[in-house]
């Protein structure tokens, strides 16, 4: 098996890369920082004797067809695609520079759709046989924090819902995750009210599900109950919550 991981250099993407390499899978790693990717690739090749290729790409401005062509001519088509990349902003409360809004929308939403559209023929034929997308509990209900980030993640979730429907009669499995607080660099931008889990723990759950299609999956699963409660809180109470 060979997996293409977008956002592979840090946090959850890095844990996925390590765990997949440990079980002998080949990897194609994508992130924007070339040095991080180079160091990670060397380390994984050395430790696990697996094929690891990488391409440094800024998802804010990339051509998915160029990436796909490089993959076909180089490492070869992946059996699975994991769209993990994400970008948060501590000041995402309404007043933002337009460039920041663009970045949040592009990395968290548009880049995933562009990439997966490029690989749609291979998903339809089953050559790419599993796709996973990473969303966030920030998309449960709109609120004054993470306004653009949450909206972008909700948009990506909608696309994955469509993808699952489109590919229902094929050999390609689709799953989307609403991930709760995870102890990574991204979390340093916020102050979680509920317990955070390790990225290693989340990665292990995603890998265990790789061949199983499914709807939106909460990690950890108790977030489903939190989400239900948050959705049920009446507006006159919700508007007063400082969350
Ligand atoms: N941490 C949390 O509490 C939390 C909670 C819910 C959901 N999530 C979601 O979980 C996923 C993983 O998050 P994480 O906490 O592991 O984040 P992280 O540690 O900040 O890692 C983000 C990854 O995305 C890549 N990335 C960001 N912008 C990029 C760009 N413009 N071009 C290419 N790559 C880019 C980064 O690579 P470079 O640095 O090389 O660009 C890095 O590999 C994200 O989708 C995030 O939204 C996280």
């Amino acid at each position: 098996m060979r997996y293409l991981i977008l956002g592979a250099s840090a946090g959850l993407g890095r844990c996925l890369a390590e765990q997949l390499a440990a079980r002998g899978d080949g990897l194609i790693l994508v992130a924007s920082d070339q040095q991080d990717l180079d160091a990670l690739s060397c380390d994984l090749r050395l430790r696990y004797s697996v094929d690891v290729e990488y391409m440094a790409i800024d998802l804010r401005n990339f051509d998915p067809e160029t990436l796909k062509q490089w993959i076909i001519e180089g490492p070869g088509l992946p059996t699975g695609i994991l769209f993990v990349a994400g970008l948060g902003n501590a000041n995402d409360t309404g007043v933002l520079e337009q460039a920041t809004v663009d970045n949040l929308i592009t990395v968290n939403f548009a880049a995933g759709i562009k990439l997966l559209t490029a690989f749609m023929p291979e998903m339809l034929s089953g050559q790419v046989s599993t796709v996973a997308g990473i969303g966030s509990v920030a998309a449960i209900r709109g609120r004054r924090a993470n306004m653009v980030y949450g909206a972008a993640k909700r948009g990506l979730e909608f696309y994955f819902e469509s993808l699952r429907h489109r590919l229902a009669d094929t050999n390609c499995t689709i799953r989307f995750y609403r991930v709760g607080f995870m102890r990574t660099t991204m979390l340093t931008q916020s102050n979680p009210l509920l317990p955070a889990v390790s990225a290693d723990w989340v990665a292990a759950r995603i890998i265990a599900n790789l061949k199983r299609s499914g709807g939106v999956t909460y990690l950890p699963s108790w977030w489903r109950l939190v989400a239900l409660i948050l959705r049920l809180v009446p507006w006159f109470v919700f508007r007063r919550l400082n969350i």
Side-chain angles (χ1 to χ4, degrees):
M1 299 289 223
R2 185 185 301 117
Y3 290 92
L4 167 62
I5 307 177
L6 288 299
S9 63
L12 177 59
R14 191 184 180 97
C15 291
L16 284 164
E18 292 207 5
Q19 291 184 29
L20 289 168
R23 61 176 212 173
D25 292 316
L27 296 170
I28 307 165
L29 309 179
V30 173
S32 71
D33 192 309
Q34 171 130 12
Q35 280 187 333
D36 281 353
L37 288 173
D38 197 47
L40 178 62
S41 306
C42 289
D43 178 52
L44 295 178
R45 278 188 214 113
L46 260 175
R47 278 199 288 155
Y48 302 111
S49 304
V50 290
D51 289 334
V52 186
E53 300 292 333
Y54 70 82
M55 192 183 230
I57 286 179
D58 189 339
L59 291 173
R60 291 173 298 179
N61 178 22
F62 84 116
D63 174 16
E65 294 298 340
T66 307
L67 171 64
K68 184 178 171 183
Q69 206 50 39
W70 170 76
I71 288 173
I72 290 171
E73 288 166 9
L77 275 176
T79 34
I81 300 178
L82 313 178
F83 189 79
V84 185
L87 180 69
N89 188 299
N91 301 316
D92 184 8
T93 55
V95 181
L96 285 174
E97 298 277 334
Q98 287 300 335
T100 309
V101 174
D102 274 349
N103 292 344
L104 287 168
I105 293 173
T106 308
V107 175
N108 294 305
F109 174 58
I113 296 182
K114 283 168 68 176
L115 176 94
L116 293 172
T117 302
F119 283 94
M120 183 61 87
E122 289 74 19
M123 290 189 249
L124 286 165
S125 69
Q127 285 169 284
V128 171
S129 59
T130 186
V131 178
I134 305 301
S136 168
V137 292
I140 290 171
R141 188 167 178 179
R143 62 203 165 90
R144 64 196 72 173
N146 284 320
M147 290 173 69
V148 182
Y149 172 81
K153 288 293 192 186
R154 179 94 71 94
L156 186 67
E157 186 175 318
F158 187 96
Y159 179 75
F160 267 78
E161 194 178 21
S162 305
L163 209 54
R164 187 175 173 220
H165 197 241
R166 179 69 180 86
L167 297 167
D169 296 326
T170 70
N171 288 328
C172 184
T173 62
I174 305 291
R175 197 176 274 261
F176 191 81
Y177 294 89
R178 273 188 178 176
V179 175
F181 300 122
M182 234 178 350
R183 289 187 293 274
T184 65
T185 322
M186 189 180 275
L187 194 63
T188 54
Q189 295 168 1
S190 61
N191 214 357
L193 293 170
L194 290 168
V197 293
S198 74
D200 253 325
W201 183 87
V202 174
R205 264 66 200 171
I206 293 171
I207 291 172
N209 280 335
L210 275 178
K211 292 312 294 170
R212 292 187 218 133
S213 223
V216 171
T217 304
Y218 285 87
L219 287 176
S221 57
W222 51 259
W223 267 101
R224 184 171 290 280
L225 181 62
V226 177
L228 181 69
I229 294 167
L230 276 175
R231 300 275 337 156
L232 288 175
V233 173
W235 171 244
F236 70 91
V237 177
F238 191 71
R239 70 193 288 270
R240 289 181 169 77
L241 298 180
N242 190 18
I243 55 173

